[in-house]
């Protein structure tokens, strides 16, 4: 593979980002390396609209965002429209942090000379610099390799993902009581969702053992699941605030940042907590990727892993006991 000389890349740079929150957070170390290689170049990030708020929380100085507004209903029309839009930038280099064939076609049709990506999904012929994917590498390592290996391996290490929150405006969050965030997911999370009855037991144990105010997180589609949880608790002296469906992605990050502890399934809020250095207990059931590939590289973190022998995927996470979750949370609070 021919090594890219940064001095010969004179035009702007395009990075095609993944679609999901946790994956995008895991690209931040690679974007930092790319920014160090090209301190005087503008790095444009092609990102889905809901991710644009997240990207404003970074300290990478020379990045700008292009909203990826493609829709599945008008896929060909959307692809052609975006291709024309990208051509007007005259990009010299593109890095594909998504592994699909469609993204390689997009960059090729946009006339980008240097296209970096992994040789997968029949797209090798469209890439100028293709790497063989090592499926054992952590996702952060994978993204960093696309930058580092194609430029002659100038870096030996990478930093952990970091987001820069702003103080939340809500006065509810400004009290001195310990604040614990909870994200158990809804039915939309499938096998990653922590069952309601076990979640109820977590809340009861927390209130018995820790003087704290609890905040339940979730998107609008998870509101009914969280409402069911609160109804099942039926606590008269409750100090629980349900924020599901009431935060933007930006304010969710800001709110998680002021928590003294976050308890979350393996999902976006877990990655957010680690990126703002909020102590976090992760509930690791049957995930969308092997845990070793997505586990946050953060010292302020405990993974409550399942010990299930179940062949029924949604039941796997149920082997994580409420007692073990609260015990891990107290360890983080005490430290």
């Amino acid at each position: 593979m021919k090594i890219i000389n940064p001095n010969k890349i004179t035009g702007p740079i395009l990075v095609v980002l993944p679609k999901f929150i946790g994956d995008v957070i895991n690209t931040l170390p690679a974007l930092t390396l790319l920014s160090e290689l090209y301190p005087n170049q503008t790095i444009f990030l092609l990102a889905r609209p809901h991710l644009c708020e997240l990207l404003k929380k970074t300290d990478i100085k020379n990045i700008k965002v292009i909203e990826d507004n493609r829709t599945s209903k008008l896929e060909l029309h959307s692809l052609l429209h975006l291709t024309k839009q990208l051509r007007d930038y005259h990009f010299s280099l593109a890095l594909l942090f998504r592994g699909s064939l469609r993204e390689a076609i997009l960059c090729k049709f946009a006339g980008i000379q240097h296209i970096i990506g992994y040789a997968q999904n029949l797209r090798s012929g469209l890439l100028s610099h293709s790497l063989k994917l090592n499926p054992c590498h952590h996702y952060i390592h994978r993204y960093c390799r696309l930058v580092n290996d194609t430029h002659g391996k100038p870096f030996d290490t990478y930093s952990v993902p970091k987001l820069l929150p702003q103080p939340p405006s809500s006065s509810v969050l400004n009290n001195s009581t310990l604040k614990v965030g909870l994200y158990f997911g809804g039915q939309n999370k499938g096998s990653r969702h922590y069952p309601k009855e076990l979640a109820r037991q977590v809340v009861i144990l927390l209130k018995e053992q820790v003087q704290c105010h609890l905040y339940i997180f979730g998107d609008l589609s998870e509101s009914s699941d969280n409402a069911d949880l609160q109804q099942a608790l039926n606590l008269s002296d409750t100090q629980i605030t349900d924020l599901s469906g009431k935060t933007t992605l930006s304010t969710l990050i800001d709110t998680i940042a002021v928590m003294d502890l976050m308890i979350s399934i393996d999902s976006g809020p877990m990655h957010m907590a680690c990126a703002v250095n909020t102590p976090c207990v992760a509930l690791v059931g049957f995930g969308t990727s092997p845990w070793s590939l997505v586990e946050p590289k953060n010292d302020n973190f405990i993974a409550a892993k399942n010990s299930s022998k179940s062949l029924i995927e949604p039941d796997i996470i149920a082997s994580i006991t409420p007692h073990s979750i609260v015990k891990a949370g107290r360890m983080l609070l005490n430290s």
Side-chain angles (χ1 to χ4, degrees), residues 215-317:
Y215 297 84
I216 301 177
F217 299 111
D219 61 29
L220 198 57
S221 67
E222 294 161 329
S223 298
S224 60
D225 293 283
N226 287 339
D228 289 345
L229 172 60
Q230 280 202 284
Q231 187 174 5
L233 287 165
N234 194 25
L235 297 174
S236 58
D237 62 339
T238 181
Q239 280 193 305
I240 300 179
T241 301
D242 185 0
L243 295 176
S244 52
K246 299 175 183 176
T247 60
T248 64
L249 186 57
S250 179
T251 56
L252 176 59
I253 294 168
D254 295 341
T255 305
I256 289 175
V258 298
M259 295 292 112
D260 296 290
L261 173 68
M262 184 73 191
I263 296 173
S264 173
I265 61 170
D266 171 13
S267 194
M270 173 193 74
H271 290 285
M272 293 180 203
C274 292
V276 297
N277 205 33
T278 292
C280 181
V281 177
L283 315 185
V284 187
F286 183 83
T288 54
S289 298
W291 175 246
S292 62
L293 306 184
V294 298
E295 181 177 8
K297 294 180 176 291
N298 188 298
D299 295 332
N300 220 8
F301 174 84
I302 295 176
K305 300 179 182 179
N306 77 83
S307 58
S308 176
K309 299 176 180 63
S310 175
L311 291 171
I312 303 172
E313 290 177 3
D315 290 348
I316 292 175
I317 198 169

Side-chain angles (χ1 to χ4, degrees), residues 1 3 37 131 145 147-156:
M1 179 177 62
I3 300 302
L37 279 173
L131 280 68
R145 274 196 69 212
V147 177
N148 199 42
D149 289 19
T150 54
H151 289 83
K153 300 183 179 179
F155 303 103
D156 294 327

Side-chain angles (χ1 to χ4, degrees), residues 70-71 74-85 102-103 105-107 109:
R70 283 177 286 176
T71 61
L74 300 171
E75 185 57 45
L76 180 58
H77 178 269
S78 298
L79 184 66
L80 293 175
H81 177 77
L82 184 57
T83 298
K84 183 179 182 300
Q85 181 184 356
R102 181 178 58 182
E103 311 311 320
I105 293 173
L106 172 69
C107 292
F109 283 6

